Amino acid sequence: MPDAVDHPATRAIPTTREALDRLAMPLEAAMMTQRAVRRVLPDPVDDELVLKCIELSLRAPTGNDGQNWEFIVVKDAEVKERLAARYRQAWLLQRDVVLRRAVAENESMARIARSIQWQVDHFTEIPVLVVPCLRLGVRDGRLPVVRMPHVAESAYWGSIYPCVQNLLLAARAMGLGASLITLPLWSQSSARRILGLPNAIHPICIIPMGWPRGRYGPTTRKPVEEVVHRDTFGNRIWLDSYDRPAG
């Protein structure tokens, strides 16, 4: 769901202490209202808050406790501009080819497309980009060009995305706007050059962060009983019997 927008756009920015105090938000409240907030203010975000988000993200599990992650915090205008150029290239293809019909026929998708377009157009104004990376080279068992077996590939991605979700939840609790994107990294070789990464370090996604122009709020999701199967696929035993808790 796209980020909701308040008018006027500007909202009160908390102090660093106030933002850190917001981490006392109940977990369920953070999870139920965490959404992609793409429209953010250009005002700076204190490094202490960014580092706290990353510190909390590191509490997530990784395969074999490898902790083989690295994080690039991008604030430099030139680096952001180079990533923005890659973002524009990939977004134009996705918008005009992949999503063209969906955007034309579905207003919800059209709203999402508009919020993504805003982010693309204002990418260099976003105060902070966090780029989670994974370390995996020949010494770690990865062979050049050869795709990993599914079980290894699953463990590989599973060693970074739990930590990304932790980061997003921490940002939500503090009141920072954040979203998860991958389009600027469509060319791994280009991303490595832009970020100065060695071959064994792989950029996984980008999390743009800033104080929101809009607001967090409830998200729309399918009912749990529609997507849960017991024992085997298709055995939706809760479809007609699940008693949804009040509230």
Side-chain angles (χ1 to χ4, degrees), residues 4 6-14 41 43 175 211-216:
D6 281 341
H7 299 285
T10 55
R11 306 186 65 191
I13 295 175
L41 298 168
D43 303 66
W211 298 111
R213 291 175 178 269
R215 62 187 183 275
Y216 279 105

Side-chain angles (χ1 to χ4, degrees), residues 20-204:
L20 290 171
D21 287 345
R22 291 177 177 180
L23 287 171
M25 171 182 276
L27 179 60
E28 183 180 15
M31 293 174 119
M32 293 295 287
T33 58
Q34 185 256 312
R35 70 198 313 165
V37 176
R38 301 181 182 90
R39 295 181 176 94
V40 297
L41 298 168
D43 303 66
V45 176
D46 194 324
D47 286 350
E48 184 177 354
L49 299 181
V50 178
L51 293 176
K52 186 63 176 180
C53 284
I54 296 174
E55 179 184 28
L56 292 172
S57 80
L58 299 181
R59 298 302 181 258
T62 57
N64 298 320
D65 196 29
Q67 302 187 46
N68 54 330
W69 39 39
E70 306 286 348
F71 297 82
I72 311 297
V73 176
V74 177
K75 291 190 168 185
D76 181 79
E78 182 180 350
V79 176
K80 285 192 282 188
E81 179 53 52
R82 294 175 69 188
L83 289 171
R86 294 291 178 261
Y87 196 0
R88 285 191 294 271
Q89 290 171 337
W91 170 239
L92 286 174
L93 178 63
Q94 185 177 48
R95 183 195 67 190
D96 297 342
V97 178
V98 180
L99 298 178
R100 183 177 180 180
R101 173 175 287 185
V103 168
E105 298 176 354
N106 186 300
E107 177 54 28
S108 177
M109 182 59 70
R111 286 196 302 269
I112 292 172
R114 288 194 293 270
S115 69
I116 296 173
Q117 186 66 61
W118 188 98
Q119 188 178 67
V120 171
D121 292 341
H122 298 268
F123 201 65
T124 57
E125 301 168 22
I126 296 172
V128 182
L129 310 176
V130 177
V131 187
C133 304
L134 276 175
R135 186 188 316 108
L136 186 65
V138 175
R139 292 183 178 181
D140 307 298
R142 180 167 189 172
L143 300 176
V145 185
V146 179
R147 183 167 181 173
M148 295 182 290
H150 174 74
V151 65
E153 197 168 68
S154 178
Y156 177 67
W157 299 114
S159 291
I160 193 68
Y161 277 112
C163 121
V164 169
Q165 177 63 3
N166 271 10
L167 196 157
L168 291 170
L169 285 170
R172 163 63 193 103
M174 290 186 199
L176 280 166
S179 60
L180 188 163
I181 63 174
T182 57
L183 288 181
L185 305 177
W186 67 266
S187 170
Q188 287 278 290
S189 59
S190 175
R192 283 200 180 90
R193 286 195 301 272
I194 294 170
L195 298 169
L197 300 175
N199 287 334
I201 304 297
H202 304 270
I204 304 301

